[in-house]
């Protein structure tokens, strides 16, 4: 149901103008088409494209950049160092056009970066970000977000949701932060005309055939698959590249390394992937996950069991990126089906 | 005649039966009708899974490295381009010819999925099958069949393919294809790039390299990237920082282009694998073009041919400025 | 912005004591006189030790919290960071984050006999326990320390053995895989030696640390000797980076070695996948 | 390995460096560099005082690396390396930085920048020094025997020379008789003597020498090993004979081209100069009245572009002889250019000309033509100098053809792993610096197998090769280069790229015998053959092959240091 | 990317030269002995053969922000190791073209032949290269890490 009080509309032809305005006041991150469609920092509304199903890279970069300075250091005259922390997020940011699946992934990432030890870099950015989502009405064949209880047309995990209902967008704020932003840019928004609910429902027809798998018992069904040869052929096929993990909106693994210059340097973190052999390789030369099979297995166990055991959620939002971009077409939905149907154990 | 999936299945089955092979690497239908995926067989029973169609893009030859220590011969399906990487693997002693049984299939072009969808204006779920039909593909979509000109929807490497028929094989299924009618100047795109100013080139590549996420898919899928430990994974010396910035990405891509110089056979797998759509073939093609112009060398043709950068002629070009 | 969990505190190397050809014990104090210099830890925990410009690695603490004057790390040269550490000199600065991870349940172990089994550099975290229980000697029963290394030259903390042996109701059993002319002690692998010593499982908790292959056979031997899996405690090694359960590489099943470990009972290990 | 403690010594070199570069400033800068435990200036580092200050500092400050920033390593490196060795430090833990030739002397007008550059050069040197490793200089015994291949005048001269110095020599000749090409000659220029006198005396000396073991007729079938230790196997009249040699001299000579020009082989009165000599020698020439000789037959043409050098003199010599036998005879020499180099030859040519031999110049665009059906009756030639066509009566046409490489050169090159140059002759290591050696240590070359040589040159080169070869034989030990290549078999993938680029065939693909890698095909360096060029290290795609003293780590550290990275 | 225009007046390039021990390094020595004065922007790294310099090192140097890299080796036919410089020549041609393809001006990577007797040539090469690279301005591909 459209909440009349928190909802507005914006005419399509005013969107660019709004984005221009947002870009002035915020770090505006939005989908841009280059060789591919990816979220990027934009300076003006005209750079933004909304003609895409999902971006290649999820917007996790905006909270957990691929490379991020943890602190800098400088050498002093003796043998010491002076350290200073990496930059805080210097301005409030707006992510425009985030899909409900990617928005959900942030909730999962929060579980990692919050907790006993708080990752100030991630949390700081998270706090300073307003998410403006874009409802999905034309999902891709590879999409299966309903599997994880995600409604691709809902604004559950965003501050504001835009729904394309033809000549205008329905604009719904679902948080205080969202409502505040709507107020601030009230000039661009108009009152509802009344047919919005109906128009939106009509658009939802496109979601009818979406893949929805039953994952209610997947964590339990994974456990016996630890041994056995189900993962052999997947490991065989896997090339050990980082596409699936780097494109995954829920994958959060990173490495930490130093840069050393004459005058000082910095310690940075950067994305890392459990698909890489070096990920678990110890200095002694031992590697607890010595082959592709072990690494593939870790990835799926992490998503469908380990993460669940720790946090009570599955670490997948059904965005389909890993399936869509895997050069050898390893199909996560097939694996879910194999596991949940019991086929995986019987091979 | 082009070989059919059935022919492949029958012949692989027979190879298992007569003991010629103990393993087979081929293709099977993937997650949808526009995808195939590598398929590994240990017996002839499952041979009916095998397919051969214009979607079989993967160069399977790299998987041969995983079968070095198995009992019996490994059968593998290769297209023209794939056979050339087999030649390179043989050249560098990475595989043993006596342990490999090569099933060659002449190929008249592989579909570029994205191009096809764009040309037809459809989504992948609507496609039922894609078949080769001479200079066009027959695309069966829900509710009919469409004929699409190959030139509009072929993969980039297929548009300049000079070796559609495998150069090395134990058995060839289907009729050899000697040349492909659409292949013209292999290097027209490279020449366009070469003609740009340094500033334009730098701008262009800066933008491209800044997109790279260093997932290493281009390296890992590359059939001639066979190092036991890649220099980019080494810690001492550290050639490249894990930090993802343009200059590190530059080092990665240039060194990679150089490392496959004289070995790259333009199977296009790097570019196909790249999720960010970086035009990686452009770098490799550039080197390929120079090796041809400077040293009259083409990779992957002859096992006995000495790699161009390990040899010289007194009369090689000496002008540098 | 809240506290930066990745920012190390600076510390000063007070001394470096060579233990073997490739193991050195670093004695370190945390810089800062304003109370930030405090570093409270328990036996079995580790710290992330860094050389700025080179990197960071998890290192188990080998000193005992009962002796708070300095923190000690016994470090073997195996990789980039440990090499860099060995190339430092006293008064050089290093970075310390931590302490991290869990610890040996010393309180639960009170009143029990202790069987401490170490191999090679694996004695480093055990030494923290050893010194700790020595300083609380009355709380524990009999202490048997079984320690082995590849050769007499590979034994660590040799300068302290005399002192250890002098402690009440404590025995130190040494063995080496290969002896030399001067070696008068036992020659043989730790698990074999353990069987020969034949300790009683009664009222005894065993804690062990060493190379994975040794741990595997020590556990086998302990099982044979009748130790229950709740009473076999070991500490694990994994590649770690962040030390705080975020970077994702040190998990065994759903446990992160850096958060939930490194100390585990055999019972806990048995419940984990054999990763 | 202990932590690096680097000592840096900056040399004033009197005012040579100190007058331009602010040495104290460089010393202070050096002290700030990583791992530098000590830095000081010397007035003259190479003086006794300087050397002892290095030795003293090594001990006093427990230094385990030394960097000297002064002049060029090409002259002073041995001195400083020895100083390190004297102080108990492996000499390869020394690194040289050149701040004189490469800095102060070339930037005399810019003291500030010269000082900055000196600092950076020191920084790079220190960065490399941090990664230096100790190296061992291996020595290997030299088996006191030589193999000389070829029993011609060059080979025999070399063999005699070595044998006379007391070394055992295996002389391998493929013909059943010693003497080589000389046996076929009639007279030798410029002394007009019968060569048999010369040949006989040398052959006698060779055959009678107790130190020379003749293998005849015999060909080399296989050779393996390296300087000091070659294992050789020869086929001696169908029997396989094996022996060891410390050095090898290649003196296999050359052959005379039999042309397919001027109807040679078709008409009975067309001979080569060598045929002519044979007939003269055998006394079977018969009557002649008009002799035409053509030079440069089959030489200096696109497929054989070189000048064989000897043929002109041979023609002149034989022309003179014709005149001598029949003073009435008309003798014409048709030439393109005359190669009569040296005072004696020029003189000889003039005399022959005065004796009535006519020299006519032709051009390659207008070759002489042979007239006659059954035999040559005349030769038509366009005389370039007189600008007219002549028809020369001719009852004997003699063709001067070049020396060409022996047919079996390639086979021998393969067996000995020594290179052949463009024309098919053997290729020496360096035309000026190492003219009678191959690049591969312990193998030497002389005589016409290297390039057409006359008798005098052949003898001289035979002696030259012998005097080079005798050095390792006399020393009894050879020092093997310490700056050699190494392979890490763990990461080597056995692609063989390194072996392909190695100019010394020092790398082979072999099954590893290392524990854990048994059976893996990897590259293996034969340190005795390796000359330390580092081509393999640059060609290896993943750094499995390294060059000692110039590792990737060391070179990259220098580049990074220059770039401000640590 | 740096804006090249702004800094042009102050710009002093940093150039690296790999010199073969047997020829160019000796040539550089001779230039010194002869007191040929030249720009101060070139730093020499001695290698035993020009063929020792792997392309990785050149690419790394340029990505590190150095403004130019030279390899100075023996003239063809004069390699101390018989053929090292011929292999260098092939590699360098391919690399130079590849670098130029991505916008690194050809002047920034040069292979030149300098014998032990060519002190004057060494000096000329240093001067010429320095001038050219100074005119080009700073390397566009600058590393920050």
């Amino acid at each position: 149901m459209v909440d009349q009080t928190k909802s507005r509309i914006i005419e399509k032809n005013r969107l660019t103008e709004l984005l221009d305005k947002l870009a002035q006041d915020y770090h505006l991150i939005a989908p841009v088409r280059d060789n591919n469609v990816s979220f990027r920092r934009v300076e003006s509304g005209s750079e933004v494209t909304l003609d895409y199903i999902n971006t290649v890279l999820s917007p996790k970069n905006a909270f957990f950049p691929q490379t991020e300075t943890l602190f800098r250091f400088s050498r002093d005259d003796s043998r010491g160092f002076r350290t200073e922390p990496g930059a805080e997020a210097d301005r409030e940011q707006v992510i425009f056009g985030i899909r409900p699946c990617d928005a959900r992934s942030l909730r999962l990432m929060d579980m990692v970066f919050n907790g006993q030890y708080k990752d100030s870099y991630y949390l700081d950015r998270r706090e300073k970000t307003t998410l403006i989502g874009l409802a999905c009405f034309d999902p891709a064949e590879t999409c299966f977000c309903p599997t994880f209880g995600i409604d691709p047309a809902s604004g559950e995990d965003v501050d504001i949701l835009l729904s394309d209902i033809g000549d205008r967008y329905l604009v719904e704020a679902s948080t205080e932060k969202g409502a505040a932003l709507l107020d601030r840019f009230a000039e661009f928004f108009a009152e509802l005309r009344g047919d919005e609910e109906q128009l939106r429902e009509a658009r939802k027809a496109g979601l009818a055939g979406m893949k929805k798998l039953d994952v209610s018992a997947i964590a339990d069904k994974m456990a016996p698959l630890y041994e056995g040869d189900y993962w052999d052929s997947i490991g065989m096929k896997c090339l050990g590249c980082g596409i699936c993990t780097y494109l995954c909106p829920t994958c959060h693994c990173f490495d930490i390394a130093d840069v050393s210059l004459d005058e000082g340097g910095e310690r940075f973190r950067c994305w890392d992937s459990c698909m890489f052999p070096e990920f678990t390789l110890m200095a002694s030369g031992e590697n607890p996950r010595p082959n592709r099979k072990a690494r593939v297995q870790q990835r799926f166990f992490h998503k469908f069991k380990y993460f669940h055991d720790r946090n009570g959620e599955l670490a997948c939002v059904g965005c389909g990126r890993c399936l869509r971009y895997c050069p050898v077409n390893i199909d996560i939905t097939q694996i879910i089906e194999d596991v949940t149907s019991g086929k995986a154990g019987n091979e | 005649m082009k070989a059919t999936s059935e022919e492949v299945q029958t012949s692989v089955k027979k190879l298992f039966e007569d003991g010629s092979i103990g393993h087979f690497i081929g293709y099977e239908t993937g997650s949808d009708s526009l995808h195939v995926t590598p398929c590994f067989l240990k017996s002839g029973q499952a041979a009916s899974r095998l397919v051969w169609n214009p979607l079989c893009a993967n160069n399977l030859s790299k998987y041969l490295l995983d079968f070095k220590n198995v009992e019996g011969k490994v059968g593998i399906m290769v297209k023209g381009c794939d056979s050339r990487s087999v030649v390179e693997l043989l050249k560098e002693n990475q595989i043993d010819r006596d342990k490999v049984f090569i099933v060659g299939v002449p190929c008249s072009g592989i579909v570029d999925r994205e191009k096809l969808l764009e040309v037809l204006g459809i989504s992948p779920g609507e496609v039922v099958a894609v078949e080769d039909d001479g200079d066009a593909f027959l695309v069966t979509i829900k509710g009919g069949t469409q004929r699409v000109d190959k030139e509009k929807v072929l993969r980039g490497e297929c548009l300049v393919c000079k070796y559609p028929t495998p150069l090395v094989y134990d058995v060839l299924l289907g009729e050899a294809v000697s040349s492909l009618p659409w292949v013209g100047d292999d290097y027209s795109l490279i020449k366009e790039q070469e003609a740009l100013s340094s500033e334009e080139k730098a701008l262009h590549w800066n933008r491209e390299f800044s997109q790279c996420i260093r997932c290493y898919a281009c390296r890992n899928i590359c059939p001639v990237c066979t190092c036991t430990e890649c220099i980019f994974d080494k810690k001492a010396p550290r050639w490249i920082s894990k930090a993802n910035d343009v200059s590190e990405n530059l080092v990665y891509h240039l060194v990679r282009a150089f490392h496959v110089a004289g070995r790259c056979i333009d199977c296009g797998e790097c570019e196909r694998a790249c999720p960010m759509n970086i035009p990686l073939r452009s770098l490799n093609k550039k080197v390929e073009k120079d090796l041809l112009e400077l040293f009259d060398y083409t990779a992957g043709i002859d096992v006995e041919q000495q790699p161009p950068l390990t040899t010289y002629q007194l009369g090689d070009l000496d002008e540098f400025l | 912005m809240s506290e930066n969990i990745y920012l190390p505190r600076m510390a000063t190397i007070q001394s470096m004591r060579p233990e073997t050809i490739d193991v050195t014990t670093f004695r370190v104090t945390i810089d800062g006189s304003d109370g930030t210099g405090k570093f409270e830890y328990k036996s079995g925990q580790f710290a992330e030790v860094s050389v700025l410009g080179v990197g960071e690695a998890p290192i188990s603490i080998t000193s005992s919290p009962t002796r708070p004057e300095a923190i000690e790390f016994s470090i073997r040269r195996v990789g980039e960071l440990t090499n860099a550490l060995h190339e430092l000199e006293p008064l050089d600065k290093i970075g310390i984050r931590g302490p991290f991870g869990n610890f040996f349940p010393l309180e639960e172990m009170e009143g029990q006999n202790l069987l401490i089994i170490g191999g090679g550099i694996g004695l480093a975290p055990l030494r923290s326990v050893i010194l700790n229980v020595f300083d609380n000697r009355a709380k524990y029963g009999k202490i048997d320390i079984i320690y082995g290394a590849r050769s007499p030259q590979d034994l660590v903390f040799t300068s302290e053995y005399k002192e250890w042996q002098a402690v009440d109701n404590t025995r130190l059993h040494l063995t080496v895989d290969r002896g030399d002319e001067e070696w008068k002690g036992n020659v043989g692998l730790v698990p074999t030696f353990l069987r020969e010593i034949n300790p009683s499982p009664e009222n005894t908790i065993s804690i062990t640390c060493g190379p994975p292959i040794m741990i595997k056979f020590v556990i086998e031997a302990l099982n044979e000797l009748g130790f229950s899996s709740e009473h076999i405690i070991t500490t694990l090694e994994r590649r770690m980076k962040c030390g705080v359960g975020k970077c994702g590489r040190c998990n065994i099943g759903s446990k992160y070695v850096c958060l939930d470990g490194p100390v585990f009972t055999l019972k806990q290990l048995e419940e984990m996948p054999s990763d | 390995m202990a932590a690096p403690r680097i000592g840096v010594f900056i040399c004033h070199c009197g005012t040579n460096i100190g007058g331009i570069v602010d040495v104290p400033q460089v010393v202070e800068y050096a002290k700030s560099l990583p791992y530098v435990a000590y830095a000081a200036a010397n007035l003259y580092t190479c003086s006794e005082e300087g050397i002892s200050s290095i030795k003293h500092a090594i001990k006093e400050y427990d230094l385990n690396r030394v960097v000297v920033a002064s002049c060029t390593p090409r002259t002073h490196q041995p001195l400083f390396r020895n100083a390190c060795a004297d102080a108990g430090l492996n000499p390869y833990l020394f690194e040289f930085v050149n701040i004189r030739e490469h800095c102060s002397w070339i930037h005399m007008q810019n003291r500030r920048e010269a000082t900055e550059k000196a600092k950076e050069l020191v920084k790079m040197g220190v960065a490399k020094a941090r990664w230096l490793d100790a190296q061992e200089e291996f020595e290997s015994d030299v088996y006191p025997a030589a193999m000389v291949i070829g029993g011609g005048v060059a080979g025999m001269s070399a063999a005699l020379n070595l044998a006379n110095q007391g070394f055992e020599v295996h002389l391998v000749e493929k013909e059943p008789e010693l003497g080589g090409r000389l046996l076929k000659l009639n007279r030798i220029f410029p002394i007009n003597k019968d060569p048999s006198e010369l040949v006989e005396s040398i052959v006698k000396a060779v055959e009678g020498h107790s130190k020379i073991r003749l293998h005849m007729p015999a060909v080399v079938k296989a050779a393996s090993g390296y300087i000091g230790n070659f294992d050789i196997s020869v086929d001696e009249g169908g029997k396989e004979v094996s022996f060891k040699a410390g050095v090898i001299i290649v003196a296999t000579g050359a052959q005379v081209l039999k042309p397919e020009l001027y109807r040679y082989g078709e008409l009975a009165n067309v001979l080569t100069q060598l045929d002519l000599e044979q007939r003269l020698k055998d006394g079977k020439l018969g009557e002649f009245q008009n002799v035409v000789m053509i030079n440069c037959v089959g030489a200096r043409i696109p497929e054989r572009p070189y000048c064989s050098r000897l043929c002109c003199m041979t023609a002149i010599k034989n022309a003179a002889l014709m005149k001598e036998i029949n003073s009435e005879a008309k003798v014409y020499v048709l030439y393109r250019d005359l190669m009569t180099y040296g005072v004696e030859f020029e003189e000889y040519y003039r005399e022959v000309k005065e004796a009535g031999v006519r020299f006519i110049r032709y051009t390659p665009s207008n070759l002489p033509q042979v007239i006659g059906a059954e035999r040559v009756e005349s030769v038509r030639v366009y005389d370039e100098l007189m600008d007219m066509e002549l028809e020369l009566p001719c009852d004997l046409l003699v063709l001067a053809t070049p020396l060409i490489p022996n047919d079996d050169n390639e086979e021998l090159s393969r067996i000995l792993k020594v290179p052949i140059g463009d024309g098919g002759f053997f290729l020496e290591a360096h035309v000026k610096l190492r003219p009678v050696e191959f690049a591969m240590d312990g193998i030497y070359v002389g005589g016409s197998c290297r390039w057409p040589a006359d008798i005098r040159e052949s003898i001289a080169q035979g002696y030259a090769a012998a005097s080079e070869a005798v050095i390792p034989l006399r020393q009894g030990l050879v020092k093997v280069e310490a700056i050699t290549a190494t392979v890490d078999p763990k990461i080597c993938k056995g692609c063989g790229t390194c072996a392909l680029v190695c100019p010394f065939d020092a790398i082979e693909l072999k099954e590893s015998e290392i524990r854990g890698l048994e059976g893996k095909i990897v590259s293996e360096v034969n340190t005795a053959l390796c000359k330390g060029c580092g081509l393999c290290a640059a060609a290896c795609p993943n750094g499995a092959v390294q060059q000692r003293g110039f590792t990737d780590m060391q070179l990259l550290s220098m580049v990074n240091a220059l770039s401000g990275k640590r | 990317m740096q804006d090249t225009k702004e800094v042009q007046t102050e710009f002093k390039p940093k150039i690296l030269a790999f010199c073969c021990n047997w020829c160019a390094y000796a040539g550089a020595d001779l230039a010194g002995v002869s007191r040929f004065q030249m720009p101060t922007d070139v730093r020499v790294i001695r290698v035993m053969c020009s063929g020792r310099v792997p392309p990785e090192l050149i690419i790394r140097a340029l990505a590190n922000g150095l403004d130019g890299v030279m390899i100075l080796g023996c003239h063809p036919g004069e390699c101390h190791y018989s053929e090292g410089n011929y292999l260098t020549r092939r590699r360098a041609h391919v690399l130079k073209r590849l670098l130029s393809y991505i916008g690194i001006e050809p002047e920034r990577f040069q292979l030149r032949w300098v014998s032990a007797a060519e002190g004057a040539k060494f000096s000329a090469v240093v001067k010429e290269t320095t001038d050219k690279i100074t005119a080009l301005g700073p390397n566009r591909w600058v590393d920050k890490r």
Side-chain angles (χ1 to χ4, degrees), chain D residues 194-346:
Chain D
D194 185 341
S196 46
E197 250 175 76
L198 174 73
V199 177
E200 268 165 38
S201 75
I202 302 180
V203 168
K204 205 183 270 173
V206 168
E207 285 176 341
H209 206 295
S210 64
K211 286 281 182 186
I212 299 180
R213 161 90 168 79
L214 284 173
H215 301 268
M216 204 167 61
V219 286
V220 178
K221 280 285 150 201
S224 62
Y226 45 90
I227 182 169
N229 288 288
F230 291 105
D231 287 305
I232 290 144
S233 146
V234 300
D235 176 347
E236 192 171 335
K239 208 166 83 243
E240 192 187 311
V241 178
S242 300
F243 53 86
K244 274 183 90 69
V247 294
I248 297 173
I249 294 175
V250 178
T252 51
Q255 57 180 330
V256 173
L257 175 76
K258 288 201 185 331
E260 288 173 357
L261 292 161
Y262 302 109
R263 301 172 75 184
Y264 176 78
E266 182 193 336
L267 303 183
N269 60 344
V270 185
L271 306 177
T272 63
Q273 291 286 3
L274 191 66
D275 296 336
L276 175 66
E277 301 224 11
Q278 195 73 45
R279 294 208 184 171
L280 287 168
K281 195 169 180 138
D282 300 345
K284 287 183 183 159
L285 182 63
E287 299 277 305
F288 58 89
Q289 192 56 49
N290 298 307
V291 181
V292 177
M293 296 183 172
I294 306 178
N295 286 8
C296 283
V297 176
R300 302 169 68 210
I301 54 176
E303 61 265 42
R304 204 174 292 108
Y306 63 90
C307 162
S308 175
R309 304 192 322 153
L310 320 171
C311 351
C312 284
M313 286 308 296
T314 307
I316 291 168
K317 169 190 76 181
N318 286 337
L321 211 54
M322 296 283 97
K323 225 37 191 165
E324 203 181 298
I325 296 168
N326 178 3
S327 58
E328 297 301 305
K330 289 211 161 77
V331 181
Y332 303 93
V333 177
L334 312 187
Y335 70 97
R336 276 171 63 189
D337 293 293
L338 275 174
M339 179 66 83
T340 60
Y341 56 100
V343 179
E344 288 165 309
F345 292 178
E346 194 64 29

Side-chain angles (χ1 to χ4, degrees), chain B residues 190 193 198-199 201-202 205-206 231 239-240 243 245-248 250-251 254 258-259 282 286 290 294-295 308 310-314 316-321, chain E residues 1 55-57 59-60 63 76 83 86-87 89-103 105 110-113 128 140-145:
Chain B
I190 307 301
Q193 288 275 320
S198 292
E199 211 159 345
K201 289 173 184 168
W205 286 104
N206 203 301
I231 68 158
W239 285 104
I240 183 173
D245 68 33
V246 175
S247 60
E248 296 308 300
L250 167 92
V251 173
L254 287 195
F258 208 91
H259 276 187
S282 175
K286 164 66 182 161
D290 290 338
L294 289 166
F295 313 125
T310 66
T311 183
Y312 64 92
Q313 304 249 302
L314 297 179
D316 285 341
L317 180 65
D318 198 49
E319 191 49 56
F320 265 91
L321 295 176
Chain E
M1 296 275 283
E56 291 90 324
L57 211 51
I59 295 168
R60 185 70 262 179
E83 49 196 45
Y86 290 122
L87 293 174
R89 185 166 69 179
R90 280 203 162 193
R91 267 205 300 261
H93 274 304
V94 177
L95 180 60
K96 191 183 181 75
R97 287 166 186 227
L98 180 60
L99 291 173
S100 146
Y101 192 65
I102 60 126
E105 298 86 346
Q110 307 200 9
L111 172 67
R112 305 290 289 269
W113 311 131
E128 182 191 324
R140 284 193 186 87
W141 295 94
V142 179
D143 197 11
K144 69 173 198 293
R145 283 198 164 84

Side-chain angles (χ1 to χ4, degrees), chain C residues 108-109 111-117 141-144 194 199-207 222 225-233:
Chain C
E108 289 166 37
M109 283 151 56
Q112 310 254 353
N113 298 325
L114 300 182
L115 174 61
I116 297 168
I117 307 168
K142 191 172 73 154
I143 300 173
D144 278 286
L194 170 62
S200 156
E202 200 134 323
N203 208 21
T204 303
I205 288 183
S206 159
I207 60 179
L222 288 172
L225 291 168
F227 281 81
S228 73
S229 51
E230 287 97 332
H231 289 163
I232 300 174
I233 299 173

